PDB file of all heavy atoms in Angstrom:
ATOM      1  N   PHE E 191     -32.097  15.618   3.951  1.00  0.00           N
ATOM      2  CA  PHE E 191     -31.480  15.198   2.703  1.00  0.00           C
ATOM      3  C   PHE E 191     -32.527  14.814   1.665  1.00  0.00           C
ATOM      4  O   PHE E 191     -33.496  14.098   1.967  1.00  0.00           O
ATOM      5  CB  PHE E 191     -30.557  14.003   2.927  1.00  0.00           C
ATOM      6  CG  PHE E 191     -29.225  14.350   3.529  1.00  0.00           C
ATOM      7  CD1 PHE E 191     -28.817  13.771   4.724  1.00  0.00           C
ATOM      8  CD2 PHE E 191     -28.372  15.245   2.898  1.00  0.00           C
ATOM      9  CE1 PHE E 191     -27.590  14.079   5.281  1.00  0.00           C
ATOM     10  CE2 PHE E 191     -27.143  15.570   3.434  1.00  0.00           C
ATOM     11  CZ  PHE E 191     -26.755  14.988   4.640  1.00  0.00           C
ATOM     12  N   THR E 192     -32.333  15.274   0.425  1.00  0.00           N
ATOM     13  CA  THR E 192     -33.115  14.717  -0.678  1.00  0.00           C
ATOM     14  C   THR E 192     -32.768  13.233  -0.798  1.00  0.00           C
ATOM     15  O   THR E 192     -31.684  12.795  -0.414  1.00  0.00           O
ATOM     16  CB  THR E 192     -32.795  15.436  -1.997  1.00  0.00           C
ATOM     17  OG1 THR E 192     -31.379  15.356  -2.245  1.00  0.00           O
ATOM     18  CG2 THR E 192     -33.222  16.889  -1.951  1.00  0.00           C
ATOM     19  N   GLY E 193     -33.696  12.478  -1.338  1.00  0.00           N
ATOM     20  CA  GLY E 193     -33.521  11.025  -1.367  1.00  0.00           C
ATOM     21  C   GLY E 193     -34.141  10.335  -0.179  1.00  0.00           C
ATOM     22  O   GLY E 193     -34.180   9.103  -0.123  1.00  0.00           O
ATOM     23  N   THR E 194     -34.655  11.132   0.783  1.00  0.00           N
ATOM     24  CA  THR E 194     -35.293  10.555   1.977  1.00  0.00           C
ATOM     25  C   THR E 194     -36.779  10.880   2.049  1.00  0.00           C
ATOM     26  O   THR E 194     -37.439  10.518   3.021  1.00  0.00           O
ATOM     27  CB  THR E 194     -34.608  11.054   3.262  1.00  0.00           C
ATOM     28  OG1 THR E 194     -34.826  12.464   3.418  1.00  0.00           O
ATOM     29  CG2 THR E 194     -33.109  10.785   3.234  1.00  0.00           C
ATOM     30  N   PHE E 195     -37.316  11.569   1.027  1.00  0.00           N
ATOM     31  CA  PHE E 195     -38.722  11.951   1.023  1.00  0.00           C
ATOM     32  C   PHE E 195     -39.585  10.938   0.263  1.00  0.00           C
ATOM     33  O   PHE E 195     -40.768  10.791   0.548  1.00  0.00           O
ATOM     34  CB  PHE E 195     -38.901  13.327   0.380  1.00  0.00           C
ATOM     35  CG  PHE E 195     -38.343  14.468   1.192  1.00  0.00           C
ATOM     36  CD1 PHE E 195     -36.990  14.751   1.163  1.00  0.00           C
ATOM     37  CD2 PHE E 195     -39.168  15.258   1.960  1.00  0.00           C
ATOM     38  CE1 PHE E 195     -36.471  15.811   1.897  1.00  0.00           C
ATOM     39  CE2 PHE E 195     -38.665  16.319   2.707  1.00  0.00           C
ATOM     40  CZ  PHE E 195     -37.302  16.588   2.679  1.00  0.00           C
ATOM     41  N   GLY E 196     -39.020  10.276  -0.717  1.00  0.00           N
ATOM     42  CA  GLY E 196     -39.788   9.379  -1.564  1.00  0.00           C
ATOM     43  C   GLY E 196     -39.966   8.004  -0.943  1.00  0.00           C
ATOM     44  O   GLY E 196     -39.276   7.626   0.016  1.00  0.00           O
ATOM     45  N   ASP E 197     -40.902   7.232  -1.519  1.00  0.00           N
ATOM     46  CA  ASP E 197     -41.012   5.825  -1.134  1.00  0.00           C
ATOM     47  C   ASP E 197     -39.750   5.087  -1.547  1.00  0.00           C
ATOM     48  O   ASP E 197     -39.308   4.159  -0.869  1.00  0.00           O
ATOM     49  CB  ASP E 197     -42.238   5.203  -1.809  1.00  0.00           C
ATOM     50  CG  ASP E 197     -43.523   5.885  -1.380  1.00  0.00           C
ATOM     51  OD1 ASP E 197     -43.976   5.631  -0.248  1.00  0.00           O
ATOM     52  OD2 ASP E 197     -44.061   6.684  -2.169  1.00  0.00           O
ATOM     53  N   LEU E 198     -39.174   5.521  -2.667  1.00  0.00           N
ATOM     54  CA  LEU E 198     -37.906   5.007  -3.166  1.00  0.00           C
ATOM     55  C   LEU E 198     -37.099   6.178  -3.711  1.00  0.00           C
ATOM     56  O   LEU E 198     -37.670   7.193  -4.135  1.00  0.00           O
ATOM     57  CB  LEU E 198     -38.130   3.976  -4.278  1.00  0.00           C
ATOM     58  CG  LEU E 198     -38.770   2.648  -3.884  1.00  0.00           C
ATOM     59  CD1 LEU E 198     -39.534   2.057  -5.060  1.00  0.00           C
ATOM     60  CD2 LEU E 198     -37.704   1.667  -3.395  1.00  0.00           C
ATOM     61  N   ALA E 199     -35.791   6.035  -3.710  1.00  0.00           N
ATOM     62  CA  ALA E 199     -34.929   7.052  -4.307  1.00  0.00           C
ATOM     63  C   ALA E 199     -33.717   6.361  -4.904  1.00  0.00           C
ATOM     64  O   ALA E 199     -33.407   5.202  -4.580  1.00  0.00           O
ATOM     65  CB  ALA E 199     -34.497   8.086  -3.272  1.00  0.00           C
ATOM     66  N   THR E 200     -33.029   7.072  -5.782  1.00  0.00           N
ATOM     67  CA  THR E 200     -31.880   6.497  -6.477  1.00  0.00           C
ATOM     68  C   THR E 200     -30.712   7.470  -6.460  1.00  0.00           C
ATOM     69  O   THR E 200     -30.897   8.683  -6.373  1.00  0.00           O
ATOM     70  CB  THR E 200     -32.233   6.177  -7.943  1.00  0.00           C
ATOM     71  OG1 THR E 200     -32.595   7.398  -8.618  1.00  0.00           O
ATOM     72  CG2 THR E 200     -33.395   5.188  -8.021  1.00  0.00           C
ATOM     73  N   VAL E 201     -29.496   6.924  -6.553  1.00  0.00           N
ATOM     74  CA  VAL E 201     -28.280   7.721  -6.650  1.00  0.00           C
ATOM     75  C   VAL E 201     -27.379   7.080  -7.691  1.00  0.00           C
ATOM     76  O   VAL E 201     -27.373   5.846  -7.841  1.00  0.00           O
ATOM     77  CB  VAL E 201     -27.536   7.808  -5.293  1.00  0.00           C
ATOM     78  CG1 VAL E 201     -26.306   8.703  -5.407  1.00  0.00           C
ATOM     79  CG2 VAL E 201     -28.455   8.331  -4.194  1.00  0.00           C
ATOM     80  N   SER E 202     -26.610   7.902  -8.413  1.00  0.00           N
ATOM     81  CA  SER E 202     -25.637   7.408  -9.387  1.00  0.00           C
ATOM     82  C   SER E 202     -24.226   7.715  -8.903  1.00  0.00           C
ATOM     83  O   SER E 202     -23.977   8.754  -8.288  1.00  0.00           O
ATOM     84  CB  SER E 202     -25.853   8.075 -10.745  1.00  0.00           C
ATOM     85  OG  SER E 202     -24.805   7.741 -11.645  1.00  0.00           O
ATOM     86  N   PHE E 203     -23.312   6.805  -9.215  1.00  0.00           N
ATOM     87  CA  PHE E 203     -21.903   7.002  -8.881  1.00  0.00           C
ATOM     88  C   PHE E 203     -21.027   6.964 -10.132  1.00  0.00           C
ATOM     89  O   PHE E 203     -19.870   6.552 -10.088  1.00  0.00           O
ATOM     90  CB  PHE E 203     -21.444   5.954  -7.873  1.00  0.00           C
ATOM     91  CG  PHE E 203     -22.252   5.969  -6.601  1.00  0.00           C
ATOM     92  CD1 PHE E 203     -22.874   4.817  -6.147  1.00  0.00           C
ATOM     93  CD2 PHE E 203     -22.420   7.134  -5.884  1.00  0.00           C
ATOM     94  CE1 PHE E 203     -23.629   4.822  -4.996  1.00  0.00           C
ATOM     95  CE2 PHE E 203     -23.171   7.160  -4.724  1.00  0.00           C
ATOM     96  CZ  PHE E 203     -23.780   5.998  -4.271  1.00  0.00           C
ATOM     97  N   TYR E 204     -21.594   7.398 -11.245  1.00  0.00           N
ATOM     98  CA  TYR E 204     -20.814   7.624 -12.463  1.00  0.00           C
ATOM     99  C   TYR E 204     -19.785   8.724 -12.165  1.00  0.00           C
ATOM    100  O   TYR E 204     -19.998   9.552 -11.279  1.00  0.00           O
ATOM    101  CB  TYR E 204     -21.765   8.040 -13.588  1.00  0.00           C
ATOM    102  CG  TYR E 204     -21.151   8.064 -14.961  1.00  0.00           C
ATOM    103  CD1 TYR E 204     -20.827   6.877 -15.608  1.00  0.00           C
ATOM    104  CD2 TYR E 204     -20.903   9.273 -15.607  1.00  0.00           C
ATOM    105  CE1 TYR E 204     -20.260   6.904 -16.877  1.00  0.00           C
ATOM    106  CE2 TYR E 204     -20.341   9.298 -16.871  1.00  0.00           C
ATOM    107  CZ  TYR E 204     -20.019   8.110 -17.504  1.00  0.00           C
ATOM    108  OH  TYR E 204     -19.457   8.136 -18.750  1.00  0.00           O
ATOM    109  N   PRO E 205     -18.640   8.774 -12.871  1.00  0.00           N
ATOM    110  CA  PRO E 205     -17.593   9.738 -12.509  1.00  0.00           C
ATOM    111  C   PRO E 205     -18.028  11.201 -12.477  1.00  0.00           C
ATOM    112  O   PRO E 205     -17.391  12.018 -11.815  1.00  0.00           O
ATOM    113  CB  PRO E 205     -16.522   9.503 -13.577  1.00  0.00           C
ATOM    114  CG  PRO E 205     -16.664   8.063 -13.924  1.00  0.00           C
ATOM    115  CD  PRO E 205     -18.143   7.794 -13.864  1.00  0.00           C
ATOM    116  N   ALA E 206     -19.097  11.555 -13.174  1.00  0.00           N
ATOM    117  CA  ALA E 206     -19.545  12.950 -13.161  1.00  0.00           C
ATOM    118  C   ALA E 206     -20.246  13.328 -11.865  1.00  0.00           C
ATOM    119  O   ALA E 206     -20.422  14.517 -11.586  1.00  0.00           O
ATOM    120  CB  ALA E 206     -20.492  13.196 -14.337  1.00  0.00           C
ATOM    121  N   HIS E 207     -20.636  12.344 -11.067  1.00  0.00           N
ATOM    122  CA  HIS E 207     -21.511  12.627  -9.929  1.00  0.00           C
ATOM    123  C   HIS E 207     -20.732  12.959  -8.660  1.00  0.00           C
ATOM    124  O   HIS E 207     -19.507  13.034  -8.664  1.00  0.00           O
ATOM    125  CB  HIS E 207     -22.485  11.470  -9.743  1.00  0.00           C
ATOM    126  CG  HIS E 207     -23.496  11.382 -10.846  1.00  0.00           C
ATOM    127  ND1 HIS E 207     -24.593  12.195 -10.908  1.00  0.00           N
ATOM    128  CD2 HIS E 207     -23.548  10.615 -11.961  1.00  0.00           C
ATOM    129  CE1 HIS E 207     -25.291  11.930 -11.999  1.00  0.00           C
ATOM    130  NE2 HIS E 207     -24.670  10.970 -12.662  1.00  0.00           N
ATOM    131  N   HIS E 208     -21.469  13.143  -7.572  1.00  0.00           N
ATOM    132  CA  HIS E 208     -20.875  13.711  -6.360  1.00  0.00           C
ATOM    133  C   HIS E 208     -19.756  12.841  -5.797  1.00  0.00           C
ATOM    134  O   HIS E 208     -18.756  13.360  -5.291  1.00  0.00           O
ATOM    135  CB  HIS E 208     -21.967  13.936  -5.314  1.00  0.00           C
ATOM    136  CG  HIS E 208     -22.873  15.081  -5.644  1.00  0.00           C
ATOM    137  ND1 HIS E 208     -23.624  15.122  -6.794  1.00  0.00           N
ATOM    138  CD2 HIS E 208     -23.145  16.240  -4.991  1.00  0.00           C
ATOM    139  CE1 HIS E 208     -24.331  16.248  -6.833  1.00  0.00           C
ATOM    140  NE2 HIS E 208     -24.058  16.944  -5.746  1.00  0.00           N
ATOM    141  N   ILE E 209     -19.937  11.550  -5.802  1.00  0.00           N
ATOM    142  CA  ILE E 209     -18.848  10.603  -5.559  1.00  0.00           C
ATOM    143  C   ILE E 209     -18.933   9.539  -6.640  1.00  0.00           C
ATOM    144  O   ILE E 209     -19.966   9.377  -7.285  1.00  0.00           O
ATOM    145  CB  ILE E 209     -18.899   9.955  -4.153  1.00  0.00           C
ATOM    146  CG1 ILE E 209     -20.194   9.157  -3.954  1.00  0.00           C
ATOM    147  CG2 ILE E 209     -18.710  11.006  -3.067  1.00  0.00           C
ATOM    148  CD1 ILE E 209     -20.229   8.361  -2.658  1.00  0.00           C
ATOM    149  N   THR E 210     -17.842   8.817  -6.842  1.00  0.00           N
ATOM    150  CA  THR E 210     -17.838   7.838  -7.924  1.00  0.00           C
ATOM    151  C   THR E 210     -17.242   6.509  -7.490  1.00  0.00           C
ATOM    152  O   THR E 210     -16.417   6.459  -6.571  1.00  0.00           O
ATOM    153  CB  THR E 210     -17.066   8.370  -9.144  1.00  0.00           C
ATOM    154  OG1 THR E 210     -17.197   7.429 -10.220  1.00  0.00           O
ATOM    155  CG2 THR E 210     -15.589   8.563  -8.832  1.00  0.00           C
ATOM    156  N   MET E 211     -17.709   5.469  -8.135  1.00  0.00           N
ATOM    157  CA  MET E 211     -17.055   4.167  -8.065  1.00  0.00           C
ATOM    158  C   MET E 211     -16.830   3.648  -9.491  1.00  0.00           C
ATOM    159  O   MET E 211     -16.787   2.442  -9.725  1.00  0.00           O
ATOM    160  CB  MET E 211     -17.865   3.180  -7.216  1.00  0.00           C
ATOM    161  CG  MET E 211     -19.310   3.051  -7.572  1.00  0.00           C
ATOM    162  SD  MET E 211     -20.247   1.885  -6.508  1.00  0.00           S
ATOM    163  CE  MET E 211     -20.280   2.707  -4.919  1.00  0.00           C
TER     164      MET E 211
END
Side-chain angles (χ1 to χ4, degrees):
F191 282 122
T192 56
T194 66
F195 291 81
D197 299 284
L198 292 152
T200 61
V201 183
S202 172
F203 302 125
Y204 191 72
H207 291 281
H208 288 60
I209 61 173
T210 185
M211 51 181 68

